[in-house]
Amino acid sequence: EAGVTQSPTHLIKTRGQQVTLRCSPISGHTSVYWYQQALGLGLQFLLWYDEGEERNRGNFPPRFSGRQFPNYSSELNVNALELEDSALYLCASSDGGQGFGELFFGEGSRLTVL
Amino acid sequence: AQSVTQLDSQVPVFEEAPVELRCNYSSSVSVYLFWYVQYPNQGLQLLLKYLSGSTLVKGINGFEAEFNKSQTSFHLRKPSVHISDTAEYFCAVIAGDSSYKLIFGSGTRLLVRP
């Protein structure tokens, strides 16, 4: 069974540009979560999608946005990139039922903003 | 709002020695507690979780944790560590207030030396 997959694995952007990160959850999982892991700051919760709806949002500016598609895959969009957006962006999925609280993580997309 | 504090950013220990990684949480409602591990260049993986019942929880790779409500702690322990346990360990909490949002601590880097 395939795990959570994320693309791209690495990317470099310059300030002011826009980026789209993609995530495919484990088959059968309906919830997708996005976290930002910046150096020295641990994991910061970004967004939670379930059944195509945004369920919760972390303390990030509106230029961070996303969506979940009918096949439960998800995109994270970041507009007007700033240097401090450089981080590892982790996507996770869960089935929300029996596996309460157990998130399955992808290996992340490492974004560098120059 | 709930939060998680991991008191040690890095814990060096010799191989075969015991280790304890500390985690304290704050929440005004009931909580669910988790420990995740992140090996180098990988996503996070669930080690163990406390949802209810016995306060001593056993996880994978010989790790265990004890939920202490009076001290609001959920410390992770292993009686004898291996070189392969070198990784970043994250404590996380979900508050029982229907947010179902997993909040992570800042992480503790366990460095096992031969």
Side-chain angles (χ1 to χ4, degrees):
Chain A
E1 179 183 295
V4 176
T5 57
Q6 293 186 242
S7 63
T9 55
H10 295 82
L11 67 167
I12 299 173
K13 294 284 187 177
T14 57
R15 286 177 59 191
Q17 285 189 309
Q18 178 265 345
V19 68
T20 297
L21 308 178
R22 296 177 175 81
C23 173
S24 292
I26 290 173
S27 177
H29 286 188
T30 61
S31 283
V32 170
Y33 305 78
W34 287 95
Y35 285 86
Q36 182 195 64
Q37 187 176 22
L39 196 62
L41 295 179
L43 279 81
Q44 304 296 315
F45 170 74
L46 268 165
L47 290 159
W48 168 30
Y49 292 96
D50 182 60
E51 298 281 1
E53 300 284 334
E54 182 179 301
R55 301 298 185 185
N56 210 327
R57 181 182 179 85
N59 189 25
F60 280 83
R63 57 191 186 83
F64 285 84
S65 64
R67 55 180 173 168
Q68 186 178 33
F69 298 97
N71 67 353
Y72 303 117
S73 67
S74 177
E75 282 183 353
L76 174 68
N77 297 293
V78 187
N79 294 320
L81 284 167
E82 300 179 2
L83 297 178
E84 53 265 34
D85 296 334
S86 294
L88 181 67
Y89 289 84
L90 291 167
C91 172
S93 72
S94 77
D95 62 10
Q98 294 179 345
F100 178 69
E102 179 169 7
L103 304 187
F104 294 81
F105 284 82
E107 296 189 353
S109 294
R110 185 166 296 281
L111 171 65
T112 301
V113 182
L114 302 177
Chain B
Q2 66 273 27
S3 67
V4 178
T5 302
Q6 291 185 246
L7 298 169
D8 306 299
S9 59
Q10 182 165 299
V11 173
V13 64
F14 288 107
E15 193 174 18
E16 298 183 5
V19 70
E20 178 180 83
L21 306 183
R22 297 181 292 171
C23 172
N24 288 86
Y25 67 91
S26 65
S27 175
S28 58
V29 296
S30 59
V31 293
Y32 308 99
L33 294 155
F34 308 81
W35 276 98
Y36 279 79
V37 60
Q38 186 179 30
Y39 297 105
N41 300 313
Q42 295 186 25
L44 278 75
Q45 174 184 358
L46 181 68
L47 267 180
L48 49 79
K49 61 183 176 183
Y50 170 79
L51 302 183
S52 65
S54 173
T55 56
L56 183 62
V57 180
K58 294 189 183 298
I60 62 173
N61 300 338
F63 283 93
E64 63 181 31
E66 185 159 19
F67 171 56
N68 187 320
K69 188 175 182 179
S70 63
Q71 296 187 4
T72 61
S73 68
F74 190 56
H75 300 333
L76 181 70
R77 302 184 183 99
K78 186 170 183 178
S80 176
V81 294
H82 303 290
I83 297 288
S84 60
D85 292 324
T86 294
E88 190 92 19
Y89 292 80
F90 293 92
C91 183
V93 63
I94 292 177
D97 63 352
S98 78
S99 67
Y100 298 110
K101 181 175 69 180
L102 197 61
I103 302 299
F104 285 87
S106 56
T108 296
R109 180 154 195 81
L110 176 62
L111 181 58
V112 182
R113 297 167 173 166

